[in-house]
Amino acid sequence: MSEQSTPPATPAASPAAEPDVAPVSPLTQELAAALKRDSAGLVAAIIQQFDTDEVLMLGWMDDEALHRTLTTGRVTFFSRSRQEYWRKGDTSGHVQFVKSVALDCDGDALLVRVDQVGAACHTGTRTCFDGRSLAAVTGERD
């Protein structure tokens, strides 16, 4: 991933703060409570082309990345490897313009429908799934 990144926002430390107090979320209280994050505080974000339903990629978001995505019209992820935020397209030009965002029924995944400009995958392919099919037995209805 060669996208531009910004360091994670950290809440101001308070001398009176308890060590086990959760950081303040930039999301509404209702949305923050509905999210089921992994042990790193992240939620999977499935990225889909809005007009073709093509699944483009999967990325990870914490509360701040989701807040930026919901409020800027551009998709922001949290890089697990670099431990920083990156907005898709800032360096590559392969921008993702937000069309809608939905939370799944369990609260552990997001569906972000976008208008993708250029390749979605850092390898240069349209989607992160192009040319990566696995052999699988297919099923049929009875």
Side-chain angles (χ1 to χ4, degrees):
M1 290 179 267
S2 61
E3 303 295 336
Q4 181 177 349
S5 57
T6 55
T10 53
S14 167
E18 296 289 323
D20 60 348
V21 173
V24 176
S25 174
L27 302 172
T28 65
Q29 186 175 1
E30 180 182 14
L31 178 54
L35 290 174
K36 305 258 186 329
R37 302 161 192 82
D38 69 8
S39 61
L42 303 174
V43 174
I46 302 160
I47 310 301
Q48 182 180 43
Q49 177 65 31
F50 83 103
D51 55 354
T52 64
D53 295 335
E54 181 179 31
V55 177
L56 301 172
M57 61 177 288
L58 176 116
W60 297 93
M61 294 184 182
D62 65 2
D63 288 21
E64 178 62 29
L66 178 55
H67 173 73
R68 292 180 189 189
T69 298
L70 291 171
T71 60
T72 66
R74 296 271 308 276
V75 179
T76 298
F77 298 102
F78 185 78
S79 170
R80 296 175 300 166
S81 60
R82 294 187 317 252
Q83 294 293 297
E84 61 189 15
Y85 297 103
W86 58 281
R87 189 169 72 166
K88 185 71 171 164
D90 278 355
T91 58
S92 68
H94 299 166
V95 177
Q96 293 175 340
F97 294 105
V98 176
K99 295 299 181 182
S100 66
V101 181
L103 183 62
D104 82 336
C105 59
D106 295 322
D108 61 359
L110 297 160
L111 178 61
V112 183
R113 292 174 53 86
V114 302
D115 187 6
Q116 175 72 48
V117 175
C121 187
H122 70 280
T123 65
T125 57
R126 170 73 181 163
T127 83
C128 291
F129 304 98
D130 286 348
R132 296 170 182 91
S133 295
L134 303 175
V137 173
T138 59
E140 294 186 30
R141 294 180 187 207
D142 291 335

